Amino acid sequence: MNRRNFLKAAGSSLILPMLPGVMSLAQAAGVPLTLTQRVLAYVGLYGGPDLRHLCPPVITLSTDTQSYAYEFWKARARSFGIATANQNLAGFANHFATHYVAVNLPGTSTPAGFGIFKEADWLIAMWNAGYVAFVCNAVGATSRDHAHAQLVLDHGDLTSTAMDRLKPGWGGKLVELIGGTSRLAALTNAPKPFCFGPLNGDPKNHQNSRVISVKNSRKMQLAEFRAAEQVGKEKWSNNVLARALRSYYSAYNPSEAHYKVFKDHETKMRNFGNQLYARLGDEQTGNIPVPDGIRQLYTAPAAGATDYRLNSTYFGGQIRNLHDVIASADILGLRVAAMEYGSWDTHQGQEAGLAKNFSDLFGAAGGFGQLYANLAPTAKDNLVITLAGEFGRQLASNGDNGTDHGRGGMVIIIGNHVKGGVYGEMFPASELAPTNKFVSKWGDDTVGLTSFEPIFGAVADWVAGGSTGNSIFPNRSSAIIESGVTLNTLFV
Amino acid sequence: MKKLTLALAVSIGLVGCGGGGGGNSVELKQPTVAWDAPITPSAELPMVDGVTWDETAVRKVLHVFAFGGFASDAQIKTWADMAPNEAIVEMLTLDGYNPKLSPTIDADVLNSTDRSFLGLAGLWSGSSSPLAANRRDSFKIDSWAGPQNIAMLASSTPGVNPFPHRLAIWELNYHLVANRDADVSPEHLSTYYNAVQKSLAAHDPYQNTMAIAAGSVAIAQQYKHYRNFYDVDKNGVGTFKGNEDFAREYHQLFFGILGTSRANDLLNNYHEVITIKNTAQMLTDMTVAKDGDLELTFGTKRHHVDDLEIMHTQISGATAKDKILALAQIDIAHPESLDNLPVMIVSGLANDNLSDANITELRNYWKSMVKKDILQFIRAYAISTQFHSPNRIKYWNPAERNVLYANLTTLNQTEAYWNYYDPNGISDWEDGYSQFRPEHNVFGHTTGQETAQSGDKFLLQFNRGASAWRFSRTTDSNNASWFKNWGSIAPKDVDGKYPVEAVAEWLWQRYMADGLKHFGPLERLQLYAILGTGVDAAVACSADQANPNYDKIYSVAEATSDAAAISCRNTLAAKFMDLDPAGTDKNKRNTANARVGYAIHFMTALPYALVQEGR
């Protein structure tokens, strides 16, 4: 198996429309959305995702039992949920065949050596089209502490400590450097540190002038007195208070940052809330209704159905928000959209948990599959999706059908301008070294060979142009990078 | 700790049904209350001076640590007139009852319980409950939202000491987290809450409280280490089977130890490969023996009985419980814990803007405490110069602000029991903040900082401000004897009248606790208009009352200097409110009380209600 740099030039945007699965998705779209400027959709996979579970090595009945692949499956059998009696070559091969699709290197008939989780069918289509990059052995914090490592991930700064909760994030820095009217839309319950913008003269603090909270893109309007609609009700208490508050905030201009944050919210919500409503309207009856396929991601099952479409309706709501901010990109100055998907800390019962996560994120009926079904070619050409967690998981299963923390992880970058392939060793040979065997008592870990900085730096360069990433990640040029990996060709 | 002999032991001589659900007759006694001796000022954490320690300072402490509390204005003044180290031992106590902070006010059936979490649950869900019959089941400890309902009502009922609940709610949502969404049953969560609170009330060393938490069913359910075993085969070879999730988080989340800053923890990856791996083996054979058990069974058969090297120390103990307690004594003294734990506590409860100097003081004080007593620590912090510094910034999380506003609006138990201000429901259904279902799982719930950063959370609060019904309720057709009676506590002039200006200033101080620092011309103009006329300044101050300009915006300059605006403000300030509860015109009384409610709506949507400055 070739475990090194499966880089192939297969990023042609002409391939995707010719793929049957993707074609049907595109045809199913309602009103395709466009984008005229490049946009980053960042998804924090908080909890330490085991992305090796997404794309394990191919194993068949003919696989050599001395091979890496066999050792891998043997060590991980429990986390794949394979019963003890089936923890043998036949059992491993059967599990792989049942749950994974072996893929080729993009645009070729050369086996890639690994498979992708079957229910991640949108991701498989995108991989086959050459639009997916797996950057392996990515590392940020060397500690395996979630909170600290998440700060490092969101800041894109390996020097961040566990106490640096107020530092700016790399998303916030990115829109600040783009400048003009560019903004970051935080599509989550609350903006994550990734979103925080830099504060001049204080590297440990931030400001959010370019951040817009879009927790629910269809409910962003402040209470307001509209005279024409309220004739005869002008002195009703709700109208009185709406006017009093509007008047107050209009005049209010504090200098202290801890008060100014609320003044800024009021200004943005009043401004953008009304504009978005004018553009979008109600979910089902507005100018741009939420497409049915997306609405089903976060709403209760239809009559007669029992299961929600997604395991995480919270993520489904973020996909609605992403759809809507793309539809309103000109209003918002959208350049970065910040999202999150949790539930990756799979110390127990990994198989069932991750299957749901992968389906939510990567299934054709899942979040991004449904979003892409509603994007016009210009939107697909101008969008890059970056998914990353704070660290990975140890290679060997633990005794509870899960995996424990490991340093190295994987970053997934998806987009029509991404040069698809594997960057770095997907299955490092070093992990087979006798002193670090899966079964060893100590030293269970996954290696971290490529720092977040050059990876995210390449993404920032593409979104903003030039070498913007150098300003966001000042240590980029000296950061560690796996031997043989070249990230400046990540985009075509 | 030494107790002063100021015990209050008043039997009110009532006999009735016990509220514990069992219907036993018990004597209703006012609990005995004893106050601790004044705390000794510390050089490590300097105490605020007597000038700064005023009524505003007292209110700030109550807002942060007691969800506002229910102390009367007179009691607050009394505390302000005392030395801070004397006052604080009366303000912040961990017993179920604190008659100064949370006086009973009305006839009190709470005396039939010990006012512990489980005691309150028994009363409120039982046959003698003061709650409406259709609400009682939701206060059973095994009802789906039982723990949340109990904790929130305990935090917002006059007669119950809110501080122990403020602390326990923080512990279980931010520090020693057990998540209801992680298979932790309501019964186990309730038991856990009670155990933690009981340990805190007993003044256990803080590490022992954490050891109790670590040995709970709730935490075992959270991390699933109840499935961890250490088995020895016939050849004497031991094998660990389990996960190392809690093995890491016990050190990290409970004690603040990452194992990343000390050379001996980093050498050969010691923290990862020795401390965490061996802690995982320590957490073995701690099982839920049978369904319904509320305590773990600690066995020896499948436990790593031999000593384990953890944190460079041989940890001994026959069972996991013994070893957990032994390890707690080591962890609490670890340099990283000594550095991080006090910062975690203070940043979690009271300050989103800790400076390096603040942190140094906190660490030094914590280190100086021979016994890590969290009550002593919080008291010392609450009267410290850094707590009362203008640089301290505390953003309220959704539950903090909702309970705070509700408590400041609640005038008696009736209003709490009838759930007029519903801080629990607002937090849960509107803000999406459910107690014991933290946003970030074991890493904690939505923080104040996150709340402040969220435009959506602001939007909710703003729109609640403009939705005038909740705080302006004045009567209840289902509770005919009740009416809102702000006149019972609002300031009166010498003639017994309620001047708008005085009421406005009093309200501002009650809700904002800033000594009127931010009650400027703009704020006064709107608040006077609402209180004095029931409409906003644009209407109240319009020269053309028949056709006012509803879009009129008063600038700060105009509100400050414009003659017409000043004249209007002065006119409004001099008006009187019909708040007299003995007044003959009930409609006027109700209108006046409703206007107070509108004023509260207005104030709670302002920035000053969303964040507290230390001074």
Side-chain angles (χ1 to χ4, degrees):
Chain A
M1 172 170 37
N2 178 6
R3 295 193 302 268
R4 294 193 65 84
N5 301 352
F6 299 140
L7 297 173
K8 298 292 174 188
S12 168
S13 59
L14 297 175
I15 295 175
L16 184 60
M18 294 188 291
L19 293 166
V22 176
M23 188 67 159
S24 65
L25 289 176
Q27 288 168 336
V31 181
L33 306 176
T34 61
L35 273 175
T36 58
Q37 290 188 303
R38 290 176 175 177
V39 170
L40 163 65
Y42 170 81
V43 187
L45 306 179
Y46 302 112
D50 190 347
L51 295 178
R52 291 173 195 251
H53 203 105
L54 175 68
C55 41
V58 172
I59 190 163
T60 68
L61 290 174
S62 60
T63 296
D64 184 349
T65 55
Q66 300 299 309
S67 67
Y68 177 97
Y70 181 80
E71 289 284 342
F72 176 99
W73 280 91
K74 183 179 163 191
R76 314 204 101 213
R78 287 197 298 266
S79 60
F80 280 112
I82 299 172
T84 305
N86 297 326
Q87 291 178 6
N88 50 48
L89 182 61
F92 303 154
N94 180 58
H95 188 90
F96 182 88
T98 304
H99 296 285
Y100 294 89
V101 175
V103 294
N104 295 330
L105 295 176
T108 76
S109 56
T110 306
F114 63 90
I116 298 178
F117 186 66
K118 222 172 229 180
E119 291 179 40
D121 41 359
W122 174 78
L123 184 69
I124 293 170
M126 294 295 282
W127 166 265
N128 288 336
Y131 295 157
V132 179
F134 292 126
V135 185
C136 301
N137 310 312
V139 66
T142 53
S143 87
R144 293 181 234 173
D145 157 22
H146 288 289
H148 175 212
Q150 285 172 15
L151 286 176
V152 170
L153 171 72
D154 280 356
H155 295 159
D157 184 349
L158 274 58
T159 68
S160 291
T161 71
M163 307 289 279
D164 286 332
R165 292 177 299 173
L166 302 181
K167 280 175 64 171
W170 71 273
K173 289 179 179 174
L174 177 56
V175 288
E176 192 66 36
L177 283 165
I178 293 172
T181 58
S182 66
R183 291 189 182 82
L184 180 154
L187 311 184
T188 51
N189 283 340
K192 309 291 287 188
F194 166 81
C195 307
F196 298 169
L199 183 64
N200 281 340
D202 188 355
K204 293 280 190 181
N205 217 323
H206 68 273
Q207 54 78 34
N208 285 348
S209 60
R210 293 181 182 275
V211 179
I212 301 172
S213 282
V214 188
K215 183 193 172 190
N216 185 340
S217 46
R218 302 282 169 152
K219 290 184 178 173
M220 288 179 59
Q221 287 185 287
L222 292 173
E224 193 148 22
F225 170 71
R226 294 184 174 84
E229 300 169 14
Q230 301 292 323
V231 175
K233 304 174 186 172
E234 291 88 350
K235 294 186 180 179
W236 287 20
S237 52
N238 286 7
N239 290 329
V240 166
L241 288 167
R243 284 197 304 269
L245 287 167
R246 178 172 180 270
S247 175
Y248 179 81
Y249 273 99
S250 295
Y252 183 63
N253 188 25
S255 56
E256 304 96 328
H258 52 278
Y259 294 133
K260 194 169 181 296
V261 63
F262 302 112
K263 163 72 176 178
D264 288 347
H265 285 322
E266 198 272 351
T267 303
K268 288 179 199 164
M269 285 295 177
R270 191 172 297 283
N271 182 16
F272 293 114
N274 287 340
Q275 289 193 65
L276 259 63
Y277 187 78
R279 168 70 59 86
L280 303 169
D282 293 328
E283 285 193 343
Q284 297 191 58
T285 60
N287 297 331
I288 303 179
V290 179
D292 288 346
I294 291 178
R295 196 157 40 80
Q296 289 163 7
L297 300 177
Y298 57 88
T299 53
T306 54
D307 293 333
Y308 282 81
R309 174 75 68 81
L310 294 191
N311 184 50
S312 170
T313 54
Y314 172 44
F315 179 67
Q318 292 178 65
I319 290 293
R320 172 206 51 214
N321 298 340
L322 181 57
H323 169 273
D324 287 352
V325 296
I326 290 174
S328 312
D330 55 325
I331 295 170
L332 298 170
L334 180 72
R335 300 305 300 274
V336 179
M339 307 168 72
E340 66 174 323
Y341 193 106
S343 302
W344 298 99
D345 198 16
T346 50
H347 291 279
Q348 320 101 23
Q350 177 162 302
E351 172 73 4
L354 291 191
K356 293 173 182 172
N357 295 0
F358 295 150
S359 298
D360 279 10
L361 288 166
F362 301 129
F368 287 115
Q370 287 302 308
L371 177 77
Y372 262 59
N374 291 281
L375 298 184
T378 59
K380 294 175 183 173
D381 280 345
N382 279 308
L383 184 66
V384 60
I385 301 166
T386 299
L387 305 102
E390 67 269 34
F391 46 63
R393 319 291 298 183
Q394 294 174 23
L395 211 58
S397 306
N398 62 26
D400 205 9
N401 302 327
T403 53
D404 297 318
H405 303 181
R407 284 174 301 169
M410 181 188 286
V411 176
I412 302 176
I413 304 169
I414 305 169
N416 281 15
H417 282 277
V418 171
K419 188 174 182 178
V422 176
Y423 294 72
E425 284 193 8
M426 188 172 260
F427 310 114
S430 60
E431 291 171 351
L432 285 174
T435 55
N436 198 21
K437 201 85 169 177
F438 306 132
V439 295
S440 69
K441 186 176 179 184
W442 311 129
D444 297 295
D445 199 2
T446 45
V447 293
L449 300 173
T450 299
S451 162
F452 286 151
E453 292 150 321
I455 304 170
F456 297 152
V459 173
D461 288 350
W462 184 79
V463 172
S467 41
T468 306
N470 290 347
S471 299
I472 299 171
F473 308 100
N475 298 322
R476 178 181 181 184
S477 61
S478 60
I480 60 167
I481 190 162
E482 186 173 348
S483 175
V485 170
T486 306
L487 293 170
N488 57 14
T489 58
L490 194 56
F491 291 89
V492 292
Chain B
M1 179 171 289
K2 181 185 171 189
K3 300 273 185 182
L4 290 187
T5 54
L6 298 174
L8 172 69
V10 181
S11 169
I12 57 177
L14 298 175
V15 177
C17 291
N24 297 323
S25 293
V26 295
E27 187 180 8
L28 299 184
K29 282 186 177 176
Q30 202 80 358
T32 299
V33 176
W35 307 109
D36 289 340
I39 66 170
T40 306
S42 160
E44 286 81 9
L45 194 56
M47 189 171 79
V48 70
D49 60 55
V51 174
T52 307
W53 181 256
D54 58 8
E55 186 200 324
T56 297
V58 170
R59 289 185 189 273
K60 285 183 185 294
V61 171
L62 299 183
H63 282 205
V64 168
F65 292 111
F67 296 124
F70 299 97
S72 66
D73 290 344
Q75 180 61 61
I76 288 171
K77 186 175 185 314
T78 299
W79 281 331
D81 291 341
M82 295 165 69
N85 59 324
E86 293 173 354
I88 198 68
V89 297
E90 294 184 3
M91 293 164 64
L92 301 182
T93 63
L94 284 169
D95 299 322
Y97 184 49
N98 181 330
K100 295 186 178 181
L101 174 63
S102 185
T104 299
I105 301 175
D106 31 17
D108 195 359
V109 293
L110 291 170
N111 294 332
S112 62
T113 81
D114 59 0
R115 304 184 201 223
S116 67
F117 183 85
L118 293 182
L120 292 168
L123 170 67
W124 289 333
S125 64
S127 58
S128 300
S129 175
L131 300 175
N134 63 358
R135 293 186 66 209
R136 293 174 187 174
D137 279 355
S138 61
F139 289 84
K140 289 181 175 172
I141 64 168
D142 59 352
S143 77
W144 194 87
Q148 165 168 327
N149 295 337
I150 300 160
M152 290 292 269
L153 187 59
S155 302
S156 54
T157 298
V160 179
N161 182 0
F163 173 59
H165 297 283
R166 165 75 169 121
L167 191 53
I169 285 172
W170 176 76
E171 289 286 5
L172 269 64
N173 279 297
Y174 292 92
H175 180 207
L176 312 175
V177 176
N179 184 352
R180 285 276 288 103
D181 290 336
D183 303 328
V184 180
S185 74
E187 242 178 327
H188 287 148
L189 201 294
S190 296
T191 306
Y192 179 46
Y193 188 112
N194 199 65
V196 168
Q197 202 174 52
K198 192 175 165 187
S199 174
L200 293 170
H203 296 239
D204 285 346
Y206 196 38
Q207 67 270 24
N208 291 12
T209 302
M210 289 190 272
I212 288 168
S216 68
V217 179
I219 290 296
Q221 288 280 8
Q222 172 74 48
Y223 293 95
K224 306 290 185 290
H225 47 269
Y226 67 87
R227 299 193 299 232
N228 287 6
F229 297 104
Y230 185 82
D231 293 324
V232 180
D233 66 18
K234 60 186 178 184
N235 299 316
V237 177
T239 304
F240 167 74
K241 183 183 178 189
N243 73 70
E244 61 186 47
D245 196 2
F246 188 57
R248 177 184 304 279
E249 306 304 4
Y250 178 71
H251 300 293
Q252 179 188 314
L253 298 182
F254 280 33
F255 289 91
I257 301 168
L258 304 183
T260 55
S261 67
R262 309 291 155 172
N264 60 352
D265 286 334
L266 292 168
L267 185 66
N268 297 325
N269 218 10
Y270 180 91
H271 186 73
E272 291 290 337
V273 301
I274 302 294
T275 287
I276 290 176
K277 301 287 183 186
N278 282 355
T279 304
Q281 298 189 58
M282 178 190 81
L283 298 167
T284 46
D285 206 345
M286 39 197 307
T287 58
V288 182
K290 63 180 188 299
D291 281 352
D293 278 3
L294 298 178
E295 305 287 344
L296 289 174
T297 297
F298 295 89
T300 56
K301 192 174 178 184
R302 303 185 73 187
H303 174 64
H304 191 296
V305 175
D306 291 345
D307 293 359
L308 282 160
E309 182 187 337
I310 303 172
M311 292 283 176
H312 314 279
T313 306
Q314 293 299 314
I315 301 298
S316 304
T319 66
K321 184 176 184 177
D322 299 335
K323 287 194 178 78
I324 289 170
L325 186 58
L327 180 58
Q329 314 311 314
I330 304 302
D331 272 17
I332 197 72
H334 188 283
E336 287 186 12
S337 182
L338 291 171
D339 278 351
N340 294 335
L341 199 47
V343 179
M344 288 161 58
I345 295 166
V346 167
S347 63
L349 287 167
N351 194 351
D352 291 303
N353 190 39
L354 281 172
S355 68
D356 291 343
N358 292 154
I359 289 171
T360 299
E361 280 186 356
L362 293 170
R363 287 171 171 170
N364 288 341
Y365 182 71
W366 184 255
K367 287 171 189 170
S368 75
M369 298 177 75
V370 176
K371 173 188 171 186
K372 306 306 183 202
D373 181 337
I374 191 167
L375 176 60
Q376 181 77 1
F377 178 71
I378 289 175
R379 283 171 168 173
Y381 173 67
I383 57 169
S384 68
T385 53
Q386 66 167 273
F387 180 88
H388 296 281
S389 158
N391 294 323
R392 184 180 62 82
I393 303 298
K394 164 63 183 170
Y395 296 107
W396 305 120
N397 71 39
E400 287 169 346
R401 64 193 190 194
N402 289 329
V403 180
L404 176 64
Y405 306 155
N407 287 359
L408 297 173
T409 311
T410 297
L411 306 184
N412 49 52
Q413 281 183 359
T414 299
E415 293 177 0
Y417 288 152
W418 281 77
N419 201 28
Y420 291 146
Y421 310 117
D422 195 15
N424 189 18
I426 299 170
S427 300
D428 198 344
W429 295 105
E430 296 183 15
D431 286 308
Y433 186 105
S434 306
Q435 295 291 346
F436 317 123
R437 299 174 65 198
E439 172 87 11
H440 311 299
N441 196 10
V442 291
F443 307 103
H445 220 319
T446 306
T447 65
Q449 182 76 238
E450 288 173 323
T451 306
Q453 302 284 355
S454 167
D456 180 73
K457 293 286 191 287
F458 173 82
L459 175 88
L460 290 167
Q461 190 60 37
F462 183 99
N463 286 351
R464 277 199 291 266
S467 174
W469 65 272
R470 188 179 304 279
F471 293 129
S472 60
R473 181 197 296 261
T474 56
T475 57
D476 181 358
S477 58
N478 296 314
N479 185 15
S481 63
W482 176 80
F483 66 91
K484 192 65 188 180
N485 187 4
W486 282 109
S488 64
I489 59 171
K492 291 181 272 195
D493 66 11
V494 292
D495 298 323
K497 293 181 175 178
Y498 298 87
V500 163
E501 183 174 36
V503 173
E505 290 184 348
W506 171 78
L507 276 175
W508 186 273
Q509 175 72 337
R510 183 176 177 89
Y511 284 81
M512 308 305 199
D514 69 353
L516 307 185
K517 175 180 175 182
H518 296 293
F519 197 36
L522 208 56
E523 293 79 12
R524 287 177 186 269
L525 187 62
Q526 292 294 353
L527 212 57
Y528 291 176
I530 292 168
L531 290 171
T533 66
V535 294
D536 51 313
V539 177
C541 296
S542 173
D544 182 359
Q545 283 292 309
N547 294 293
N549 175 9
Y550 293 110
D551 294 327
K552 166 73 178 172
I553 305 292
Y554 283 96
S555 67
V556 174
E558 194 174 7
T560 306
S561 307
D562 178 74
I566 293 170
S567 172
C568 181
R569 191 179 74 222
N570 289 341
T571 301
L572 293 167
K575 290 172 82 76
F576 295 102
M577 300 190 71
D578 295 311
L579 289 170
D580 183 359
T584 53
D585 189 333
K586 290 182 181 177
N587 286 336
K588 283 185 177 179
R589 183 199 68 201
N590 290 340
T591 298
N593 276 282
R595 286 177 185 174
V596 174
Y598 302 150
I600 295 167
H601 276 278
F602 176 75
M603 287 190 297
T604 54
L606 302 186
Y608 308 115
L610 308 179
V611 56
Q612 186 194 80
E613 282 178 333
R615 192 65 188 173

